[in-house]
């Protein structure tokens, strides 16, 4: 039933919120939402979803040739989707509105070495507040792997759903054993947030996304493909979280490999039936140091009282603490304006046009044809010391 997932006392504010989204396009994070839909987690924590299966990430470096590396990258990518897009439903009951990071907010973490896979490190920085943009750098120095990306969203409303266009892309760099490197340009799918009327939002992926290797191999992932064709060619309904992917060799549109299945459960090689991805096994959450040892701008320290308020249902505490952070931010911006200075980013620098996007985007007609990016400039020390 409409409004079924909304607590009785918040039904009016949910209706007001939904009405405001219907007539809204732009940055959803700035809209005030009723408490039941608030998440105590900041968007700066989201890039950790890229590496919750560190062994699959490390396996990319062990692949022996260009084709196998593209397969390994596709396998790792598909295996991240469940964490990226369904974990709030699993952990918090439905998709929720994450905390809107402040400019310069930081999130650090790592996945320890295990069975020779090497340690994987995560650095996240909120590089813009208006519009919200999050930059991330995930590296496994032992394996010679680095993923650099940034993430922003444009939202609109269409037939009862919020449509989220993901702005930004990621570039995975693999150091090759004989010297040199291979790069993979990863584009991101569109999201549809369904279940809004019911007060229990969840994500469905739509459209296509691509992984273009500098070797020429291209993975095209189709999130709207129907599972099959029935009698008279009528399509058999689209299953939730279903995808089809094809891998094509350099300069060809003939698939060398085809995969299909459910990205939140299992998928298979479409020709042999062999298992391709299986994410029903537990994932590994990122290791984060104790809050007491964090700097003031580290996400879990910055939001600790707001998060406690949300978790414990003390929304007055949450909103009081949130206002403190927002007022402090407003004052900082005013002071910077008066002094003619800008907030110095700690780890990233903005560039107008990403050379990797320009080069690899041409190989599969990426739209838009140019994209800016944030380049990772300065690292930090990770405990235990990185290899
Ligand atoms: C759209 C979204 C904020 C952005 C979140 C992103 C796109 C961030 C990058 C991650 O890699 C993947 C990811 C997953 C999330 O599904 C997506 C969020 C879903 C909701 C949230 C809106 C700003 C909040 C909308 C409020 C709703 C729930 C009523």
């Amino acid at each position: 039933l409409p409004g079924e997932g909304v607590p009785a006392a918040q039904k009016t504010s949910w209706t007001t919120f939904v009405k405001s989204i219907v007539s809204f396009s732009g940055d959803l994070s700035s809209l005030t939402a009723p408490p039941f839909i608030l998440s105590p987690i900041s968007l700066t924590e989201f890039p950790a979803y890229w590496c919750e299966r560190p062994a699959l990430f490390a396996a990319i470096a062990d692949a022996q040739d260009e084709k196998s590396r593209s397969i390994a990258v596709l396998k790792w990518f598909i295996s991240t989707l469940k964490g990226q897009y369904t974990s709030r439903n699993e952990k918090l009951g439905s998709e929720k509105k994450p905390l809107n990071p402040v400019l310069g907010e930081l999130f650090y973490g790592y996945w320890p070495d295990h069975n020779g896979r090497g340690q994987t490190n995560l650095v996240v920085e909120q590089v813009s507040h208006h519009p919200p943009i999050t930059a991330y750098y995930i590296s496994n120095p032992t394996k010679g792997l680095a993923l650099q990306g940034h993430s922003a969203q444009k939202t609109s409303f269409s037939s009862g759903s919020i449509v989220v266009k993901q702005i930004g892309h990621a570039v995975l760099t693999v150091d090759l054993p004989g010297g040199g490197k291979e790069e993979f340009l990863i584009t991101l799918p569109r999201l549809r947030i369904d279940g809004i009327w019911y007060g229990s939002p969840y994500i469905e992926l739509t459209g296509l996304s691509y992984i273009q290797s500098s070797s020429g191999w291209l993975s095209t992932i189709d999130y709207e493909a129907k599972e099959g064709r029935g009698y008279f060619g009528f399509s058999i309904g689209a299953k939730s979280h279903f995808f089809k992917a094809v891998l094509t060799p350099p300069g060809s549109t003939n698939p060398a490999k085809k995969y299909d299945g459910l990205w939140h459960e299992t998928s298979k090689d479409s020709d042999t039936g062999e298992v391709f991805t299986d994410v029903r096994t537990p994932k590994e959450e990122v290791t984060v140091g104790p809050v007491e040892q964090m700097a003031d701008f580290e996400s879990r320290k910055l939001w600790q009282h707001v998060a406690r308020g949300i978790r414990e249902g003390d929304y007055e505490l949450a909103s009081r603490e949130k206002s403190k952070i927002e007022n402090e931010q407003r004052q900082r911006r005013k002071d910077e304006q008066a002094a003619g200075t800008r907030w110095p980013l700690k780890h990233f620098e903005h560039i107008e046009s990403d050379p990797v996007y320009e080069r690899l985007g041409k190989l599969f007609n990426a739209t838009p044809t140019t994209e800016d990016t944030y380049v990772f400039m300065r690292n930090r020390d990770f405990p235990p010391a990185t290899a």
Side-chain angles (χ1 to χ4, degrees):
L1 288 177
E4 160 172 273
V6 185
Q10 296 176 40
K11 285 212 188 319
T12 320
S13 72
W14 181 244
T15 312
T16 315
F17 178 66
V18 173
K19 277 188 189 152
S20 61
I21 342 182
V22 173
S23 53
F24 180 84
S25 150
D27 168 17
L28 251 195
S29 55
S30 60
L31 291 180
T32 310
F36 84 94
I37 206 73
L38 301 179
S39 151
I41 298 158
S42 159
L43 257 188
T44 54
E45 295 207 21
F46 282 44
Y49 293 131
W50 283 112
C51 218
E52 291 180 321
R53 294 181 188 270
L56 286 181
F57 187 57
I60 296 168
D62 300 332
Q64 295 298 316
D65 54 51
E66 296 171 347
K67 180 181 175 188
S68 331
R69 262 191 300 277
S70 279
I71 295 174
V73 173
L74 178 63
K75 188 186 218 150
W76 155 76
F77 174 82
I78 298 290
S79 304
T80 71
L81 299 178
K82 180 183 180 194
Q84 305 260 20
Y85 303 110
T86 69
S87 56
R88 275 83 51 202
N89 294 65
E90 281 178 8
K91 263 187 144 170
L92 310 167
S94 80
E95 186 60 76
K96 302 261 173 177
K97 186 171 181 282
L99 296 169
N100 188 19
V102 304
L103 176 62
E105 188 174 322
L106 300 162
F107 184 68
Y108 303 123
Y110 65 93
W111 292 264
D113 185 11
H114 185 61
N115 287 342
R117 71 182 186 199
Q119 174 165 314
T120 306
N121 299 321
L122 169 71
V123 175
V124 184
E125 183 167 16
Q126 189 69 14
V127 291
S128 166
H129 179 66
H130 269 310
I133 308 177
T134 312
Y136 51 91
Y137 183 77
I138 302 174
S139 58
N140 179 332
T142 314
K143 291 284 183 180
L145 296 169
L147 179 78
Q148 174 175 287
H150 70 283
S151 156
Q153 300 86 41
K154 250 207 181 111
T155 49
S156 56
F157 198 81
S158 164
S159 342
S161 305
I162 301 174
V163 178
V164 182
K165 183 172 180 233
Q166 295 205 66
I167 318 272
H169 59 269
V171 173
L172 171 68
T173 308
V174 184
D175 294 338
L176 299 176
K181 56 186 180 166
E182 205 162 275
E183 287 164 320
F184 294 83
L185 170 63
I186 302 170
T187 70
L188 305 165
R190 260 174 207 258
L191 328 180
R192 213 181 50 229
I193 310 180
D194 289 335
I196 299 288
W197 298 126
Y198 301 95
S200 45
Y202 66 94
I203 304 284
E204 193 52 84
L205 300 180
T206 71
L208 304 169
S209 78
Y210 301 90
I211 306 176
Q212 175 69 62
S213 167
S214 54
S215 68
W217 287 87
L218 170 69
S219 292
T220 305
I221 306 133
D222 182 349
Y223 302 92
E224 278 173 74
K226 303 287 181 282
E227 209 178 352
R229 295 267 156 200
Y231 205 49
F232 295 129
F234 289 122
S235 64
I236 299 174
K239 243 193 180 174
S240 202
H241 305 342
F242 184 74
F243 78 96
K244 275 186 179 176
V246 293
L247 179 69
T248 45
S252 162
T253 49
N254 279 341
K257 280 282 185 191
K258 289 189 247 156
Y259 303 98
D260 66 88
L262 300 174
W263 48 257
H264 67 307
E265 289 177 0
T266 59
S267 68
K268 60 174 186 349
D269 182 310
S270 314
D271 295 319
T272 64
E274 206 184 319
V275 174
F276 182 50
T277 55
D278 184 350
V279 288
R280 292 168 307 173
T281 52
K283 56 181 191 170
E284 251 177 81
E285 287 202 7
V286 63
T287 305
V288 179
V291 172
E292 306 75 57
Q293 284 170 23
M294 287 180 182
D296 289 348
F297 258 40
E298 287 188 55
S299 194
R300 288 191 190 173
K301 170 116 182 237
L302 179 77
W303 294 105
Q304 61 180 326
H305 304 302
V306 178
R308 183 159 51 86
I310 294 174
R311 284 205 173 95
E312 293 173 1
D314 186 346
Y315 299 119
E316 253 170 60
L317 169 72
S319 101
R320 206 169 49 238
E321 291 294 330
K322 189 165 162 272
S323 300
K324 260 196 215 164
I325 295 174
E326 286 166 352
N327 291 339
E328 204 258 346
Q329 283 292 307
R330 267 191 283 275
Q331 190 55 49
R332 262 180 210 266
R333 299 291 90 81
K334 271 191 197 153
D335 294 347
E336 284 164 7
Q337 216 177 6
T341 57
R342 286 181 84 175
W343 177 263
L345 294 180
K346 230 176 147 72
H347 299 288
F348 294 87
E349 257 168 43
H350 176 248
I351 52 170
E352 292 289 335
S353 148
D354 180 356
V356 183
Y357 191 96
E358 305 308 316
R359 196 164 17 93
L360 300 186
K362 278 197 198 102
L363 301 178
F364 68 99
N365 297 325
T367 45
T369 45
T370 58
E371 260 210 1
D372 59 350
T373 202
Y374 290 83
V375 184
F376 185 69
M377 303 297 285
R378 290 166 290 273
N379 211 338
R380 72 187 291 269
D381 288 331
F382 278 91
T386 51

